[in-house]
Amino acid sequence: MSTLALTHRLSTTSLRRALNGAPLWSVAVVVAVAALVLAPLVSLVRIAAQGEATLWAQVTVDVLPAALMDTGMLLAGVALLTGVVGIGAAWLVTAHRFPGRRALAALLPLPLAVPTYITAYIYVEIFDSAGPVQMGLRSLMGWTSRGDYWFPEIRSVYGCIFVMSAVLYPYVYLAARVMFLTQSASMIEVARTLGASRFKLFRAIAIPLARPALAVGLSLALLEALNDIGASEYLGVRTLTVSIFTTWLNRGSLAGAAQIACVMLAFVIVLIALERRGRRDRRYSLSTRRPRVTQPVNLTGHQRWLATLFCAVPVLMGFALPVAFLVREVLRRGLSAQVDNAFLNHLLTTIGLSAAATVATLAFGIVLVTASRLARLRLTKTALAVAGIGYAVPGTVLALGLLTPLVAIDTGIGSLWRALTGERVGLILMGSAAGIVIAYLIRFLPIATGSLTAGLERVSPGLEDAGRILGARPRELVTRIQIPLLRPALASAALLVFVDCIKELSATLLLRPLNTETLATLVYGHASRGAFEDGSLAALVIVLVGLLPVIQLVRSAEAGPKKAGGSSAS
């Protein structure tokens, strides 16, 4: 063996030991994915810095004050309303017995299947001045002008708060429901023995113990509200997201849009910091002896019907009303006739983009999670955390930040192709389906890594140690032990990512190729032309597809605590 070969072998062995046996290529992929997630954000800051000094002054005077005011009011209102509805409904169905409790516990998460922009379009049709509600009130009350009304218009920031809260409260509800189900009955019973009232039990025991989960649920709801563009724009609310969209496309100022996006990133960082602070020093562990869960208390008299009403109204407003409206419009207008070649092309485009993004997301998710598990290095853990930032970045900001990296890659590919063949090649990533798939990959990768990490944590390290003792290589540990045991988590992650891709609107609007429509942009286009009803069929398909992961979430939320703490009495 030559000296050079021996040196190479020794260096390879040292490197493998340093990586704890993980393949070098997998660690390289982990770092590359982290760089892919960071690239749009770095690009965004660079574009913002290239703007002229007068541009920032113009943005701070003409755009930011109104955008910050509307965004702040929207987030504060959504936090308050989703918190009250989500926590209140979860506590009622978990700790009390009343008519319809079991059915309402299963129905309360359903509004998650309805995108915020579809709910906004429907609510304008129903609650705007020309809608049936205001027409009926004018006829009944004799109102003749806007000054006679005591309630705000649906096309206002208050209407936007109502619409988003009707759809986003399940994030808080699910988090609170799981935590309430897993709380030990001992603490509640001791407090009852000491004479604590129902409200004091709720305020002094249930809420503090559920605080970490509530912080996560609230932050998810607020990030979704911040990311929304369809509902805010349609309801006339000038949020930061809408301001980025209008500054870029309507005013033609890319640098101005990037500067607003940087301000919006500050909002995201604040939300993430608040979520971390909410969970800090608030860790609780379940007993390994399968703790006895709290038994629901019977409500009597009018309280039982008030509880039913409190839990039924969110389901009615967030799911039943929008779905009934869409079904009615599809039947009344005969929209099933829209299922022609053009509609099928839009449907196939939506499915194709979502499927490609799902496959890519799962592939990168598997590499990220398994490499981090094998290497157990600070580098891979940091890269995995960085990859998780993508979900917090709004689609509009992500699309804006991807412009420069995609164009740079296209330029590099074009230069290489010209050097090899002497021919020119056009843009490959920018303005093509590939750009949208990359945006979906960055945005929804945390969903895949979260599901797979949770699934892998249930795999005993002893199995992998046994494989190593028997001589299995890292690739065999992944393909013969980890991936087979991850199949349920893979299926769950695939479903969640696929449906989120189908509903995604912000990044798709900005990155889609010319003459390309998905179901989401098709609905947006009809609404922009003032004819949302014509897009009811596409909207209904999005909602029905979105029901699948919601049903799965409900099953997981209800089954998990039962496995941990035994079956709960009804």
Side-chain angles (χ1 to χ4, degrees):
M1 181 180 293
S2 66
T3 304
L4 184 61
L6 181 60
T7 304
H8 175 71
R9 185 172 181 178
L10 289 174
S11 61
T12 303
T13 304
S14 301
L15 180 61
R16 184 165 294 175
R17 284 178 180 170
L19 298 177
N20 290 335
L24 176 60
W25 67 267
S26 65
V27 177
V29 169
V30 171
V31 176
V33 171
L36 178 67
V37 174
L38 286 178
L41 305 183
V42 174
S43 169
L44 195 67
V45 175
R46 184 169 172 270
I47 294 173
Q50 289 175 343
E52 298 176 0
T54 56
L55 179 62
W56 173 246
Q58 185 180 356
V59 166
T60 54
V61 172
D62 297 337
V63 181
L64 281 182
L68 288 173
M69 176 64 76
D70 282 2
T71 304
M73 288 180 64
L74 178 66
L75 295 185
V78 169
L80 178 64
L81 208 50
T82 56
V84 170
V85 175
I87 296 172
W91 178 245
L92 283 173
V93 299
T94 306
H96 302 88
R97 288 194 184 95
F98 52 87
R101 167 181 166 264
R102 277 180 175 275
L104 288 169
L107 293 174
L108 277 163
L110 292 186
L112 275 182
V114 188
T116 52
Y117 52 89
I118 290 179
T119 306
Y121 302 152
I122 293 170
Y123 273 34
V124 167
E125 295 297 324
I126 297 174
F127 295 105
D128 206 10
S129 58
V133 173
Q134 288 205 34
M135 290 178 65
L137 287 174
R138 284 196 297 269
S139 174
L140 184 65
M141 307 297 291
W143 292 338
T144 57
S145 67
R146 179 69 190 86
D148 297 329
Y149 297 177
W150 55 267
F151 50 83
E153 289 282 357
I154 191 69
R155 286 181 183 271
S156 66
V157 67
Y158 301 106
C160 195
I161 290 171
F162 179 71
V163 167
M164 289 200 183
S165 300
V167 176
L168 300 178
Y169 79 82
Y171 284 110
V172 183
Y173 167 79
L174 285 170
R177 168 82 167 147
V178 171
M179 290 304 295
F180 292 153
L181 279 172
T182 54
Q183 288 177 357
S184 171
S186 302
M187 287 182 288
I188 303 291
E189 290 171 356
V190 168
R192 282 175 181 159
T193 305
L194 294 175
S197 64
R198 288 177 188 168
F199 179 74
K200 193 165 185 179
L201 286 175
F202 175 68
R203 181 179 60 81
I205 296 180
I207 291 293
L209 290 177
R211 186 173 132 184
L214 297 179
V216 174
L218 273 174
S219 63
L220 285 174
L222 295 182
L223 286 173
E224 288 293 331
L226 193 62
N227 177 54
D228 173 83
I229 186 172
S232 303
E233 184 190 30
Y234 199 67
L235 298 177
V237 182
R238 294 169 295 176
T239 60
L240 287 168
T241 307
V242 174
S243 299
I244 294 169
F245 189 76
T246 54
T247 302
W248 181 9
L249 297 185
N250 298 346
R251 300 176 186 173
S253 176
L254 182 61
Q259 290 173 352
I260 302 171
C262 289
V263 175
M264 192 170 174
L265 277 179
F267 261 79
V268 173
I269 292 170
V270 169
L271 287 176
I272 294 174
L274 288 175
E275 184 261 333
R276 296 284 190 272
R277 184 179 177 80
R279 289 192 292 160
R280 190 181 61 182
D281 300 330
R282 292 292 187 275
R283 297 185 178 90
Y284 305 99
S285 300
L286 289 175
S287 168
T288 55
R289 296 183 178 179
R290 303 182 69 179
R292 184 166 49 85
V293 296
T294 307
Q295 297 301 309
V297 176
N298 286 324
L299 292 178
T300 58
H302 67 279
Q303 290 182 343
R304 57 205 299 264
W305 296 110
L306 286 176
T308 302
L309 182 65
F310 185 90
C311 296
V313 169
V315 179
L316 174 68
M317 302 303 292
F319 181 77
L321 185 60
V323 170
F325 179 90
L326 292 176
V327 172
R328 173 178 170 270
E329 290 300 317
V330 169
L331 297 176
R332 188 166 70 93
R333 293 171 176 268
L335 295 181
S336 56
Q338 283 186 354
V339 186
D340 52 11
N341 289 335
F343 184 86
L344 291 176
N345 281 334
H346 301 326
L347 180 61
L348 289 176
T349 299
T350 307
I351 293 174
L353 287 172
S354 302
T358 301
V359 171
T361 303
L362 289 185
F364 279 104
I366 290 172
V367 174
L368 277 172
V369 173
T370 56
S372 298
R373 168 95 165 190
L374 290 173
R376 298 183 185 277
L377 299 173
R378 180 174 295 179
L379 173 66
T380 54
K381 290 181 180 177
T382 304
L384 192 61
V386 170
I389 296 174
Y391 191 74
V393 179
T396 312
V397 176
L398 185 60
L400 190 59
L402 274 173
L403 285 179
T404 301
L406 293 182
V407 171
I409 294 172
D410 279 340
T411 303
I413 294 174
S415 300
L416 180 62
W417 184 257
R418 189 175 181 183
L420 293 174
T421 65
E423 297 179 357
R424 293 178 179 275
V425 62
L427 296 175
I428 297 175
L429 299 179
M430 190 63 214
S432 71
I436 298 179
V437 172
I438 292 173
Y440 288 171
L441 167 65
I442 295 174
R443 177 131 170 74
F444 301 124
L445 183 60
I447 296 177
T449 55
S451 298
L452 297 178
T453 301
L456 206 53
E457 285 176 350
R458 298 178 181 178
V459 178
S460 170
L463 286 175
E464 295 159 354
D465 293 340
R468 288 191 183 95
I469 293 171
L470 294 173
R473 295 175 178 272
R475 178 175 56 81
E476 293 172 314
L477 291 176
V478 173
T479 58
R480 301 182 66 176
I481 296 178
Q482 293 180 346
I483 289 182
L485 293 173
L486 279 176
R487 281 175 184 164
L490 275 170
S492 172
L495 189 58
L496 291 172
V497 172
F498 182 78
V499 173
D500 270 340
C501 291
I502 284 181
K503 294 193 296 185
E504 211 286 333
L505 177 63
S506 306
T508 313
L509 269 179
L510 298 173
L511 293 174
R512 60 178 168 158
L514 289 174
N515 301 321
T516 297
E517 297 280 2
T518 65
L519 291 181
T521 61
L522 189 65
V523 173
Y524 176 85
H526 282 298
S528 300
R529 293 190 290 273
F532 164 68
E533 301 92 333
D534 294 339
S536 296
L537 180 61
L540 186 60
V541 172
I542 293 174
V543 173
L544 293 178
V545 173
L547 275 178
L548 298 175
V550 176
I551 293 171
Q552 186 189 30
L553 278 175
V554 173
R555 288 179 175 173
S556 301
E558 299 293 327
K562 289 179 181 178
K563 289 178 182 176
S567 61
S568 63
S570 59

